[in-house]
Amino acid sequence: MVSLGVRQRVPGRKRFGGVFSGDSATFVLIFGGGFLFTAFFRTASWHRVLFGQSPVDYPAVLGLVLLCCAVGWRSLLRRGFVWAEPAELTWMDFARVDRRRVVAARFAGALTGFVAVVAYLAALMLAVGGGGADLWRAGFALIVGSAVLVFATARRTALRVDTAGPLVLAVAGVAIAAARLGPSPVQYVGGAVLLCAVALAFGGGPVTRVGRAVLLDGWNARVLRSVAVTFLDPMMMLPESAPAGSWSLRHPSALRLAWAGVVGRSRYLGALLLVALAVSVGHVAVPTLPGAVLVGLGAYVALTPFGAGLGVLWRNPGRRRWLGSSDLELVLTHGVALVVVAVVWSALLGAGLLALGTSVSGLAWVMVPVAVLAVLRTVTRKPVDYSSAGFVDTPAGPLPANLARQLFRGPDLLAAGIVVLSLIG
């Protein structure tokens, strides 16, 4: 018999994510936290790693903090915490478990993780750079204002302004770095972000009250991510295309399909701008990072969603037969579409660097076409092969050689390009 005075917990769920269970999660928490905490006792070593012999550009550091807040805000606006297992969802309907509290607790955990990560990065860079109390107050104002903004918007259902919000916050971070604002004006920026949070808190409904269909959709997406990570097949997480509007495939061709795939994934255009601005400000805030590393990694991250159309075809041989095009033609046409997106990203990056009054070397720009080739190489990998034709020793244990070769197909070309261009530069 269920006691009405006690709120029942979901069976099988560990408290606090199992970090206090004494299992591997506890081990990771203790040693991972200890490693991160020791960085504050080795500020001289980290100063050489992050800033080298260059003077610390504190406006760029604060702008980078705000850009990290924008990236975290965008990730939480996807509301990946809104899910419930089907069996668990049914059990909640017949027990003293409020599924709204379960979703709210998951949201609180995600928000806490966001604040912890951004606060750690800000504290590390300010401690290593030797920032004064006024800089710490400015960073605190930016983080608090952004945290309240994320809480006010992610706790409710999606609105149209959600798409533009992180972009505006990212542009504000670039403005702080470009205008070289001091700590006092930056504190006012944090106050303005807090006022925006109050203004955006109205509208929509609480996300904890969504229906079963939305919860099950979130569960399906979570299962897909967990299976992709468990079986080391990240290509399962390539984004699907949304309806491409007026684009029609009544007369299918490789080029029309490539453009329809790019148009159907236009929701990632905001990520293009975010990554370009992050690379621009990161180039100023962390001068020890070579331009080839920043440009290469940024281009690869920004362009990968737009190469998903070719990846979907490669995982479905039947669709390739339906098109009637050769594999080479499909790769070339999707490569042309990807080059256009890369040109747009390069223009955004150039605009960000110009606004900050800086630039990267010509060799660093070579990483953009290398990143295009790396994305094409990534999405055209063969299906996962778990056969044991030899093993490769890794920190996580032996890994089948065929799986290792497929897992690093694409990033290997990007890493080779970064190493070669960094050595040449």
Side-chain angles (χ1 to χ4, degrees):
M1 182 175 179
V2 178
S3 175
L4 297 180
V6 179
R7 184 174 66 88
Q8 300 293 318
R9 297 181 61 252
V10 177
R13 176 173 298 165
K14 297 180 179 180
R15 293 181 182 273
F16 305 104
V19 296
F20 300 116
S21 62
D23 207 343
S24 57
T26 307
F27 176 84
V28 172
L29 175 66
I30 293 176
F31 285 89
F35 173 77
L36 295 175
F37 187 70
T38 54
F40 292 95
F41 296 94
R42 300 178 179 178
T43 55
S45 301
W46 279 101
H47 191 282
R48 290 192 296 270
V49 172
L50 295 177
F51 306 111
Q53 302 299 323
S54 304
V56 182
D57 193 329
Y58 290 112
V61 171
L62 295 175
L64 185 61
V65 170
L66 197 56
L67 269 164
C68 292
C69 293
V71 173
W73 185 17
R74 180 182 172 87
S75 65
L76 283 177
L77 285 179
R78 297 173 60 185
R79 297 172 178 85
F81 51 87
V82 182
W83 57 267
E85 182 190 0
E88 182 180 285
L89 187 60
T90 302
W91 182 84
M92 289 178 186
D93 290 341
F94 295 94
R96 295 283 297 176
V97 175
D98 189 353
R99 66 189 186 195
R100 292 177 298 180
R101 289 189 178 184
V102 175
V103 175
R106 200 177 293 129
F107 169 54
L111 182 62
T112 302
F114 157 74
V115 174
V117 171
V118 177
Y120 176 81
L121 292 176
L124 178 63
M125 297 193 72
L126 291 177
V128 170
D134 52 349
L135 289 168
W136 285 84
R137 286 193 296 268
F140 179 78
L142 292 178
I143 295 174
V144 169
S146 300
V148 175
L149 181 61
V150 172
F151 172 77
T153 54
R155 61 174 290 275
R156 54 164 172 72
T157 53
L159 297 178
R160 293 182 179 180
V161 297
D162 289 352
T163 304
L167 303 181
V168 174
L169 196 64
V171 172
V174 175
I176 290 175
R180 305 190 62 82
L181 296 181
S184 297
V186 172
Q187 294 180 39
Y188 288 109
V189 173
V193 173
L194 190 60
L195 292 177
C196 291
V198 176
L200 294 176
F202 302 98
V207 75
T208 55
R209 296 182 180 179
V210 295
R212 298 173 66 93
V214 177
L215 292 172
L216 293 179
D217 288 342
W219 165 255
N220 293 334
R222 183 177 183 273
V223 169
L224 180 64
R225 293 191 298 269
S226 62
V227 170
V229 173
T230 302
F231 291 93
L232 299 179
D233 188 9
M235 293 298 99
M236 295 178 63
M237 294 186 289
L238 289 175
E240 293 291 337
S241 175
S246 59
W247 285 84
S248 174
L249 288 177
R250 291 181 178 178
H251 304 285
S253 65
L255 186 59
R256 290 178 65 86
L257 182 63
W259 282 115
V262 172
V263 174
R265 294 170 178 84
S266 58
R267 62 187 183 276
Y268 289 95
L269 289 175
L272 283 181
L273 179 60
L274 274 180
V275 175
L277 296 181
V279 171
S280 303
V281 178
H283 180 62
V284 179
V286 189
T288 55
L289 279 178
V293 175
L294 287 172
V295 175
L297 292 177
Y300 184 80
V301 171
L303 298 179
T304 297
F306 295 94
L310 182 60
V312 171
L313 286 177
W314 228 254
R315 296 179 67 89
N316 295 273
R319 296 184 183 182
R320 299 207 300 271
R321 290 193 296 268
W322 168 73
L323 279 173
S325 303
S326 64
D327 291 350
L328 179 60
E329 183 181 1
L330 290 174
V331 173
L332 291 177
T333 51
H334 282 80
V336 170
L338 204 59
V339 166
V340 174
V341 180
V343 170
V344 174
W345 184 81
S346 300
L348 295 174
L349 177 59
L353 293 172
L354 182 63
L356 294 171
T358 185
S359 62
V360 294
S361 64
L363 288 176
W365 288 106
V366 178
M367 284 305 304
V368 176
V370 173
V372 172
L373 296 177
V375 171
L376 293 176
R377 179 174 168 81
T378 298
V379 298
T380 55
R381 61 179 60 173
K382 296 180 180 179
V384 176
D385 184 5
Y386 298 99
S387 60
S388 58
F391 289 88
V392 177
D393 291 330
T394 66
L399 187 69
N402 291 332
L403 180 59
R405 184 177 63 252
Q406 292 167 334
L407 185 62
F408 297 105
R409 176 184 169 89
D412 55 354
L413 177 60
L414 183 71
I418 289 176
V419 170
V420 171
L421 291 179
S422 297
L423 293 177
I424 294 176

